[in-house]
Amino acid sequence: MPAGFEIQIDNTGAPDGAAKHRTGAVYAVNYPGDPNPDPSIPPATPGDFVNPQNAQVLAWNQYRIEVQSDVITVNLNGVDTARYTNPDPNRGRFSPTEPTFIGLQAYSNYAYVTAFRNARITVL
């Protein structure tokens, strides 16, 4: 079971092109209306949504990822792409006593180049 959450950057939506695997989605969670929900993770929460968008290729894109309590909202280039409510008390939680990992493209496919700039983390 995953320990945290990934915001997807993949216009193809590998492996199956599903909305929950495309750019702008909180990756591989259950959304309302999902035609193929994953029974091993919690069911979708009413009011959540996924609206994937293609990232611009060979150009800078802007993500705004906001976490307030249990709700993750994602905005890509000014378009709201996802809202996900985390119902799992053991997943994606920050600890005041343990180090927290925030990854930016934490694994590599060397056929593609991914770059980041102006990354900011703000605790509100």
Side-chain angles (χ1 to χ4, degrees), residues 32-47:
D34 186 343
N36 191 21
D38 183 341
S40 70
I41 58 177
T45 301

Side-chain angles (χ1 to χ4, degrees), residues 89-114:
N90 299 309
R91 183 176 180 194
R93 306 295 177 185
F94 289 103
S95 168
T97 59
E98 297 293 323
T100 299
F101 173 79
I102 298 174
L104 301 177
Q105 196 59 35
Y107 59 90
S108 295
N109 176 340
Y110 294 106
Y112 302 97
V113 174
T114 305

Side-chain angles (χ1 to χ4, degrees), residues 5-106:
F5 295 96
E6 172 184 340
I7 308 304
Q8 184 64 317
I9 304 173
D10 179 357
N11 291 346
T12 68
D16 57 8
K20 65 185 173 185
H21 298 139
R22 290 192 50 225
T23 300
V26 178
Y27 184 75
V29 299
N30 290 322
Y31 288 103
D34 186 343
N36 191 21
D38 183 341
S40 70
I41 58 177
T45 301
D48 288 355
F49 68 90
V50 64
N51 175 32
Q53 302 290 307
N54 285 336
Q56 300 171 64
V57 178
L58 299 176
W60 291 110
N61 293 272
Q62 183 177 11
Y63 260 125
R64 179 179 175 90
I65 303 163
E66 188 173 304
V67 180
Q68 288 190 5
S69 186
D70 294 329
V71 179
I72 302 167
T73 55
V74 183
N75 183 288
L76 173 65
N77 298 325
V79 176
D80 291 334
T81 57
R83 179 183 188 273
Y84 177 72
T85 304
N86 177 16
D88 187 339
N90 299 309
R91 183 176 180 194
R93 306 295 177 185
F94 289 103
S95 168
T97 59
E98 297 293 323
T100 299
F101 173 79
I102 298 174
L104 301 177
Q105 196 59 35

